[in-house]
Amino acid sequence: MPVHEGAKTSGKIETRLFINNEFVESISGKTFDVFNPYSEEKVASVYEALPEDVDKAVDAAEAALPAWEEMGAIARAEYYYKLADLLEAAGPELAELESKETGQLASRYRENAVGAKGLRMFAGLASDLNGATSLAMPGHVNMVIRQPYGVCGAIVPWNVPILAAIFKMGPALIGGNTLVLKSSEKSPLTALVLARLVKEAGFPPGVFNVLSGYGNPAGAAMASHMKIRKIGFTGSARTGRLIKEAAAKSNLKRVSLELGGKSPLIIFDDANLEAAIPAAAISIIALTGQVCIASSRLYVHSSIADVFQEKLIQAIKKMSANSPEGVDPSSPEAMHQPQVDKAQFENVLKYIELAKESGGEIVLGGKRQTEKGYFIEPTIIRNPDHDSRVSKEEIFGPVLCFNTFEDEDEVMKRANDSEYGLFASLYTKDISRAMRIAKRFESGMVGVNTTSPMTTAPDMPFSGWKASGDGVDLSKASLDLWTQMKTIYIKI
Ligand code: NAD
């Protein structure tokens, strides 16, 4: 994990839209403000895309499409290698900027490094952009080829803005599509740095466009746009439903969704606690719980639950110490980050209030951490009711539901009783049990003797079951999702 001590920005912060390889003001000239969640001060006024700007970006993407598609994937991959190098070099700038707009700890910033690895993996997939042939029909050689959808859209969240963008642009552009990406209104600044790097890497104009703006109107205009043929979305299940609805009511564009989670982590009585305790702590502390795969529901075997709880509390306290005034997340000594904004801060505090009614006991934290900034104490709720809102809903904060269990069938029933199915993990030394549980989990990704967030590999599918989505990020599977099949019959 690279550490960017004394991170620096390269000067002026870019606030314009990125269309056709140019930074431009929005047509209306309208702007919105981005605030620092540590200081609560304004960081920048950013140009806001309205539907007319969406049209302009879509037109640029449409004009760029034929040449980009015709170029071929191997040539397109060359741009990815250049962009990956530029992204790695931009680490300090991105770390500082993201820290200002979302409160992410600059010292633990690694989105640029993971993103660069992802880009190189997608470049490698250029040689996998192929279909199939068949001789099964007498007198024929038949084939399936894979082609781009055309102009596509990506709508991404704020918690990992660079990674979310690369997870969409990676397969979309190598597959020959062109893209209009809308960043989150909470984190538009780092996406504009990515746009600048795309231009520096030499991508042709119009291939990749970035719009800053709100879900409504800009995101909604994309979801119902008649020229956009596919949208890749990462965000909440609530917004995912709206986008599918808008797609159904417009041109039936393809929509792939990567949504939220409420991930279970099961600790069996034979688990290696030296490994499991710090891993459980990091999983709920990283990005202060604002991670889709955070292990937010812990199930510990009752025979070790009290010892586990005590050591977990020690580990979390050590990892998230903060002074009463808070520490600027962009400074190297910062240990704990604030929630991204006032709305998110109030939402998490509301859940902590609900915890008090859930029948559970708050054994750690339970209130705001500092007087200034949106810091919340890491919070553990012991034994909340299984059907309570804190146990069922995604809180997206440093709030852990700590449950105990007696036997495997009982814990699996509770672990799987969730609308979500993104990630799940377990710790045990028994290999048969590990594989049995991995198979029984109703989730798209499983960790065995490891847990999130240390579980993402570029060549492995990142995807959810149930209400956690129907898409795939990363891996060859994501490339298949950004191209469409065509069957050709050839009579010989
Ligand atoms: P969100 O759904 O509020 O917003 C996501 C994006 O959708 C933003 O860009 C927003 O402007 C846009 N949007 C909002 N309303 C829209 C509309 N009506 N039409 C079109 N676009 C609209 O989510 P968020 O708060 O930014 O992100 C947090 C959520 O994202 C959590 O649920 C988290 O679990 C999820 N997430 C999932 C993954 C994953 O890979 N599965 C990764 C990161 C985050």
Side-chain angles (χ1 to χ4, degrees):
M1 197 177 288
V3 173
H4 302 294
E5 285 182 34
K8 292 176 195 70
T9 58
S10 63
K12 197 173 166 294
I13 294 175
E14 182 56 69
T15 59
R16 294 168 293 176
L17 313 176
F18 183 71
I19 299 175
N20 213 24
N21 268 8
E22 299 298 336
F23 284 102
V24 293
E25 295 179 3
S26 55
I27 293 169
S28 68
K30 214 173 157 195
T31 59
F32 63 98
D33 294 336
V34 176
F35 292 91
N36 182 327
Y38 156 69
S39 64
E40 300 177 38
E41 283 162 10
K42 189 168 101 176
V43 179
S45 291
V46 178
Y47 284 95
E48 182 189 345
L50 297 182
E52 65 228 42
D53 301 291
V54 173
D55 287 341
K56 189 173 163 186
V58 168
D59 288 346
E62 191 181 29
L65 188 63
W68 183 246
E69 183 182 352
E70 201 48 40
M71 178 187 293
I74 305 284
R76 292 195 288 268
E78 292 300 324
Y79 297 102
Y80 281 53
Y81 292 116
K82 287 181 204 150
L83 181 60
D85 291 346
L86 291 168
L87 191 61
E88 264 171 355
E93 178 185 0
L94 286 166
E96 185 175 336
L97 207 51
E98 194 158 322
S99 179
K100 280 187 179 147
E101 65 178 0
T102 72
Q104 193 173 136
L105 297 179
S107 61
R108 295 184 193 164
Y109 187 81
R110 59 192 192 105
E111 269 184 66
N112 69 315
V114 179
K117 277 201 184 77
L119 281 168
R120 294 189 184 108
M121 189 279 301
F122 285 118
L125 286 182
S127 53
D128 271 341
L129 193 61
N130 45 33
T133 53
S134 167
L135 299 176
M137 189 176 177
H140 286 73
V141 177
N142 296 336
M143 64 175 71
V144 175
I145 59 171
R146 299 204 74 101
Q147 288 181 285
Y149 282 98
V151 176
C152 294
I155 300 179
V156 294
W158 48 267
N159 64 329
V160 278
I162 290 293
L163 275 189
I166 285 170
F167 285 8
K168 306 300 180 212
M169 77 177 280
L173 301 191
I174 206 77
N177 305 282
T178 54
L179 195 67
V180 176
L181 177 133
K182 192 196 82 63
S183 57
S184 166
E185 61 278 14
K186 297 181 187 184
S187 61
L189 303 175
T190 43
L192 293 169
V193 172
L194 180 64
R196 191 192 78 217
L197 301 179
V198 162
K199 186 172 179 170
E200 279 172 33
F203 278 78
V207 166
F208 181 68
N209 307 276
V210 178
L211 301 177
S212 315
Y214 289 98
N216 208 353
M222 287 172 66
S224 57
H225 205 288
M226 294 302 285
K227 285 188 183 171
I228 294 181
R229 293 291 166 195
K230 178 193 159 70
I231 286 199
F233 172 73
T234 300
S236 64
R238 194 191 68 83
T239 308
R241 284 190 170 91
L242 291 174
I243 292 176
K244 278 219 158 169
E245 220 176 285
K249 286 183 180 156
S250 54
N251 60 349
L252 272 175
K253 59 180 65 61
R254 305 294 180 271
V255 175
S256 52
L257 304 175
E258 296 287 334
L259 308 175
K262 188 78 179 175
S263 302
L265 163 58
I266 304 179
I267 312 289
F268 286 96
D269 51 2
D270 64 343
N272 173 357
L273 299 188
E274 297 297 308
I277 290 168
I282 291 164
S283 195
I284 197 67
I285 287 303
L287 270 69
T288 195
Q290 300 171 138
V291 180
C292 56
I293 50 176
S295 298
S296 53
R297 285 188 292 146
L298 181 64
Y299 297 90
V300 184
H301 192 269
S302 60
S303 64
I304 54 166
D306 290 340
V307 177
F308 196 97
Q309 179 185 307
E310 193 190 320
K311 291 193 173 164
L312 179 66
I313 289 176
Q314 283 169 13
I316 289 178
K317 279 186 175 167
K318 208 169 145 195
M319 285 175 197
S320 60
N322 211 344
S323 66
E325 304 80 45
V327 181
D328 188 337
S330 68
S331 74
E333 61 273 13
M335 299 275 281
H336 188 50
Q337 72 178 72
Q339 305 310 125
V340 69
D341 65 2
K342 192 157 187 264
Q344 184 67 15
F345 171 75
E346 286 172 352
N347 198 38
V348 175
L349 288 177
K350 182 196 82 189
Y351 275 109
I352 292 175
E353 272 308 304
L354 285 174
K356 292 171 187 158
E357 298 161 16
S358 73
E361 183 193 354
I362 293 185
V363 293
L364 177 70
K367 52 184 191 312
R368 77 180 295 174
Q369 194 181 37
T370 59
E371 279 165 26
K372 191 182 72 174
Y374 304 129
F375 294 93
I376 292 181
E377 290 177 342
T379 297
I380 299 181
I381 311 164
R382 173 98 182 226
N383 290 329
D385 190 58
H386 174 71
D387 292 316
S388 61
R389 287 184 61 190
V390 288
S391 294
K392 291 282 180 197
E393 295 173 17
E394 183 184 45
I395 299 176
F396 226 52
V399 181
L400 177 67
C401 295
F402 185 118
N403 308 282
T404 58
F405 72 95
E406 301 295 334
D407 73 69
E408 195 177 304
D409 282 340
E410 167 222 334
V411 76
M412 287 315 292
K413 213 169 152 203
R414 283 197 281 158
N416 283 335
D417 182 22
S418 169
E419 274 308 300
Y420 290 112
L422 190 57
F423 178 78
S425 54
L426 75 147
Y427 278 76
T428 182
K429 289 187 185 126
D430 178 342
I431 181 71
S432 297
R433 173 154 63 189
M435 290 314 298
R436 196 166 59 236
I437 302 293
K439 193 174 158 215
R440 285 180 79 176
F441 271 135
E442 293 173 8
S443 64
M445 296 171 281
V446 170
V448 174
N449 292 326
T450 180
T451 192
S452 60
M454 313 313 288
T455 39
T456 304
D459 64 327
M460 291 283 117
F462 191 103
S463 61
W465 284 17
K466 302 194 276 190
S468 290
D470 58 4
V472 184
D473 277 339
L474 295 173
S475 78
K476 162 88 166 73
S478 75
L479 183 61
D480 291 343
L481 218 67
W482 286 88
T483 53
Q484 51 191 344
M485 286 183 288
K486 182 183 284 170
T487 305
I488 304 176
Y489 296 92
I490 306 165
K491 197 164 168 31
I492 48 176

